Amino acid sequence: MDNIEPFINFTSRKLQYRVLFTLFLAIFLLALATGTGMAQENAEAAKTTEASAEATAEAEPEAPPEPYEVVDYRNFFGIDGRLIVWIIAELHLMFAAFVLAVPIFVVIIEMIGVKSGDIRFDNLAREFTKLLSAAFATTASLGGLLAFALYGLYPAFMRYMTDVFHPFMFIYALCFFGEVFCLYGYYYSWDLLSKTPKGKWIHISIGVMLNLFGTALMMLANSWATFMMSPGGINMETGTVTSLYHAFYNFLWMPVNIHRIIANVAFGGFVVGAYAAVKFMGSKTDEERAHYDWMGYIGNFIGLGALIPLPFAGYYLGREVYSASPVMGNIMMGGAFSWTFIIQAILIGMLFIGGNYYLWNGMSRIKGAERYTPYIKYINMVIFFCFAVWLTPHNLPLSGEERALIGEQYHPFSKFFGVMAAKNAVVNLLILSTFFSFLLYRRANKGETKPFSSHGSGARITLIITVGLTVMYLAWYALGLRGLDMEENILRYVSPLVSCLVIQIFAIVIALLLTFANKGKLAQIFLFVVTTVMAVMYFWYYGFVVMEKANLVLRYLSVTQVSIVISCLIVNTVIDVFLFKDAKEVGGIQWGKIPHRSQYALLLLCVAIVTLMGLMGFIRSGLRMNWHIYGYMQDTSAGSFTPSIAYMGWTVGLIVILFLALVALVFWLAGLADKKKKHA
Amino acid sequence: MRSFLNAVVFTVAVVGFFIYVCMYVTGLSGGGGGGGATGVSPEAGEKIFWGDGQCHTCHRIGTSGSATRGPDQEGLAARAEERAKETGLGSGLEYMVESIVNPSSHVVEGFDDIMPKVYDPPIMLDREKILAVLTYLQTLGGEPDIDAVAKFKDKIPEASKTKVVPWVPPIEVDPKEGEAVFFDETRDVTCSKCHVLNGKGSKVGPDLTGIGAVQTPQYLIESVLKPSDVIVKGFETMYLMTNDGMAYNGLLVSQDEEEVVLMVDEDGVMAEYVFYPDEIAQMQKQDVSIMPGNLSEMLTTKEFYGIISFLLSQK
């Protein structure tokens, strides 16, 4: 029987493209017609005005021409200008976070590929860069749109910002050129420069330059945003610039830079993790599944790796916000924005739980991991407990009946969970638990280890340097605490902090000696136990003492707590690297043999971090309350109020959906070329 | 395609959960911000205390609120009466007014000097709102008296919403020249010999880092010309006479049961002296600053205003 071709082949690609193009033309013409209609309406309105003006002119003497009116604020076709700027700024920020973060780990992955000779790393780096170049154009377009929106809707504010920062705006443009050239140079020279080792290193150098330009761009834009929060270098009454340097290097600039770099890496890692998850779920072959499973694992590894230090950077930023302006600090932690931190806790809880869940699922593809699975339920319990404490509100509102039953304003148990002392303790426990999960995952595949002494002097020197630097930092901070200029009755509450730092120094030195004596596992356990007892248990209790008796000491307690935990993470990581170096493998990792449900964990991580970025953007910007430039230029527009949390929820939800839809579109477009190649 | 749709449904569900939580939290926290409170009454004051005034971000009232940065305000009115007696003020209300108008004047022991002037940016409470808060504070351990509060109306500065005319030095000066004079070690008397600024200098007098952000030009001018008029707490001069009749004037560095340490000016060089309790015959605080009172004779007009301009630029 002959194959009869249908009159219209609905499955034809050509036809689909034609339909798409026709739709595009129709929408374009419709928009044009609407625009013309509006223009005509305006013209008619103008004619009517002219006609009435002529009629009036006949009766009365000619009125003077209307003076040019300087406008401070505008709306966008009836929509609140702030809402428009909010959405565009956040979308730009999210894309920017992605295109700034991905080059950081792409270059690292490419370097690992060169060093290890494993072509998979090179391919992975290239695949990430493909996503990057597709997202870059969208970032730039959104940046342009943001600038137009700001200049159009907030002209007075932008006039002042331009007056202050115009020299840096030119530098920004130059850096942008630098980034464009480096990005496209990096992407398109991949094949050309991969032929020789020298060429490969030149390629990596272009990647490093790309990162430098990207970071410079971020830092330049950060200085404008942080100037609005903690203005410096201007006369706060007249606005005259007294020091451009201080306007640029304002009080919150560096804390925001540090926080953003780390957060961007976590963001980029989780977004590529989600990309891999979607690809994995749609994979048809084992080979594809193995590739995207591995990609998802790398994305999660990067995201979680950056997520662990993020609370420390966040704490530093929060502390500096408080130092820059106690009023702003109070609004953040005790005022209008305190409830948003409960939502933040939920999102960060999702990230930690999702990350750990993915790791535990990942252990199912590793032979030998079953030795460690019994521990997972305990880690799970600890993480859920931490999560519960973290999201306990500071002031859990009780009904009249509840209050009468309890006999006081607060719940007898939950009141101990709602305050800073408890929250700091559980955040540190959460980080220690996740780090512990990481260590279990790392050793899932490893059997018998080699003695530390067999790794040679290089290992010894590395460990001594690590311990030396960590101990020096702890000692430096302890000495700083001893030298604090405080009243004697408050100063005595600082002494236990110094003692804990000294104990941690001794614990680290003991861990070093144990490792040298080929007892690395014991050293790790010992350091974990000492750290948990001090930084979690003791400081939880002591936090309450300090809050009650010497509130001023609380900030030093938090830093001491963080320092002790960080020192444990650093030293235990280095011990772990050498402990399992060249260890026997129990069984290989079977990439692709991971349950489907784990991929939803990767999706959850992506959605949670994108939402978290939206929420934190709202908090950072909203802290200025009704000020464009805090303490100097007031926002007198109709949209100067602080929106309710529900309003914020809807707006951020919309932004997240828009961003993810755009990302999906951009990634789909980036993948079209590959499909074409495959079909060819 | 199916897996992609599953991912979309999952994503929308997570975002939906986030929006639901936001709406739920709004229901819990409420939207009260103190807006709409008008008139001078305890009710309006209470709204402002928990809203626009942002007082609750540092002060709790008994079991209401949980902030611990500032003192608990429960029973404040009664306590203010006691404090007024201790500090020589006319009434508890006057003590409360002074604490709001000039928060640094009465810092409660154990707390940091962090309270902002609520009539200044960024809080900018207007006079009527401050009076309302005062009437509310009166109800905490006392009875409100709106007439008595109204008598302090003129003592409370009006929040400035319009731009203040900037301070301009009477002659043209360069802050950079002021900076050079401030740190000029070749002079007999140099500011940096006693003041730290951005980590440079000696810590004999108050640290002047960021002074431009917190002090007015008038305050700085008076502090340089008449240093004894306002002496920063903790930098008062101590007079000490030993049993053998030697007298010393200096800054109290430390004091405990075993020893007293004074920082004494020895011909322009600050030196520490240690005294043991059994050798001290007399010791009392002086109302004269250790800072030289004749700086106007040591500086030219241009140098003087240069230093003021330089200090004002330190924000």
Side-chain angles (χ1 to χ4, degrees), chain B residues 12 15 54 98 101-102 104-105 145 164-165 184 206 229 269 311:
Chain B
V12 172
V15 174
Q54 296 166 27
E98 277 212 7
V101 173
N102 185 12
S104 300
S105 62
D145 184 348
V164 177
V165 180
D184 187 357
D229 276 11
V269 179
L311 291 177

Side-chain angles (χ1 to χ4, degrees), chain A residues 67-371:
Chain A
Y68 172 69
E69 194 187 342
V70 179
V71 181
D72 287 349
Y73 300 103
R74 288 191 192 96
N75 277 340
F76 183 78
F77 296 106
I79 304 171
D80 180 14
R82 181 179 65 168
L83 184 64
I84 296 294
V85 169
W86 183 356
I87 293 171
I88 298 172
E90 201 57 68
L91 284 173
H92 173 61
L93 210 72
M94 286 170 176
F95 269 99
F98 183 77
V99 298
L100 290 175
V102 173
I104 296 174
F105 52 77
V106 158
V107 172
I108 294 170
I109 291 171
E110 194 187 358
M111 283 163 83
I112 293 170
V114 172
K115 280 277 174 194
S116 66
D118 189 343
I119 191 69
R120 285 186 312 158
F121 285 102
D122 200 65
N123 289 340
L124 185 71
R126 193 172 186 169
E127 191 163 356
F128 284 158
T129 312
K130 186 182 70 191
L131 303 180
L132 180 66
S133 56
F136 188 78
T138 317
T139 314
S141 309
L142 283 165
L145 190 59
L146 175 63
F148 292 141
L150 279 170
Y151 278 102
L153 305 177
Y154 290 88
F157 161 66
M158 285 310 288
R159 195 178 310 127
Y160 181 73
M161 288 296 278
T162 311
D163 282 347
V164 178
F165 287 108
H166 63 92
F168 293 109
M169 288 175 177
F170 295 110
I171 299 172
Y172 186 89
L174 285 175
C175 284
F176 187 75
F177 279 125
E179 194 180 25
V180 171
F181 293 136
C182 286
L183 174 64
Y184 290 111
Y186 185 66
Y187 183 53
Y188 289 111
S189 67
W190 207 293
D191 288 329
L192 186 74
L193 293 174
S194 289
K195 288 168 188 161
T196 60
K198 196 181 166 190
K200 198 66 188 158
W201 283 108
I202 292 172
H203 188 252
I204 288 171
S205 306
I206 299 172
V208 171
M209 288 298 291
L210 167 65
N211 276 299
L212 290 178
F213 278 119
T215 310
L217 276 173
M218 184 200 70
M219 290 169 85
L220 280 162
N222 282 352
S223 83
W224 307 334
T226 52
F227 171 80
M228 290 163 69
M229 293 175 80
S230 58
I234 58 164
N235 184 312
M236 292 297 281
E237 284 163 5
T238 62
T240 314
V241 180
T242 52
S243 161
L244 189 57
Y245 170 76
H246 286 106
F248 178 77
Y249 196 157
N250 54 72
F251 199 84
L252 290 177
W253 183 55
M254 205 38 89
V256 166
N257 285 335
I258 293 168
H259 190 261
R260 272 203 173 150
I261 287 176
I262 300 173
N264 286 352
V265 174
F267 185 86
F270 287 140
V271 170
V272 294
Y275 166 79
V278 175
K279 288 281 199 180
F280 176 90
M281 290 193 287
S283 296
K284 302 230 170 13
T285 63
D286 285 346
E287 195 191 345
E288 269 186 353
R289 257 190 293 276
H291 174 70
Y292 288 115
D293 181 17
W294 184 60
M295 192 192 227
Y297 164 75
I298 299 277
N300 183 57
F301 180 85
I302 293 162
L304 266 189
L307 190 67
I308 286 177
L310 199 54
F312 303 134
Y315 178 80
Y316 168 55
L317 173 59
R319 195 184 134 142
E320 292 305 288
V321 166
Y322 195 85
S323 303
S325 165
V327 176
M328 190 186 271
N330 284 347
I331 291 168
M332 179 173 71
M333 298 313 294
F337 288 84
S338 58
W339 277 91
T340 55
F341 283 90
I342 300 298
I343 302 167
Q344 184 215 33
I346 293 172
L347 290 170
I348 295 180
M350 277 184 187
L351 290 174
F352 275 103
I353 291 170
N356 278 289
Y357 181 75
Y358 177 78
L359 278 181
W360 301 333
N361 266 285
M363 285 165 88
S364 65
R365 57 164 122 75
I366 305 172
K367 278 182 187 167
E370 58 281 355
R371 293 169 297 164

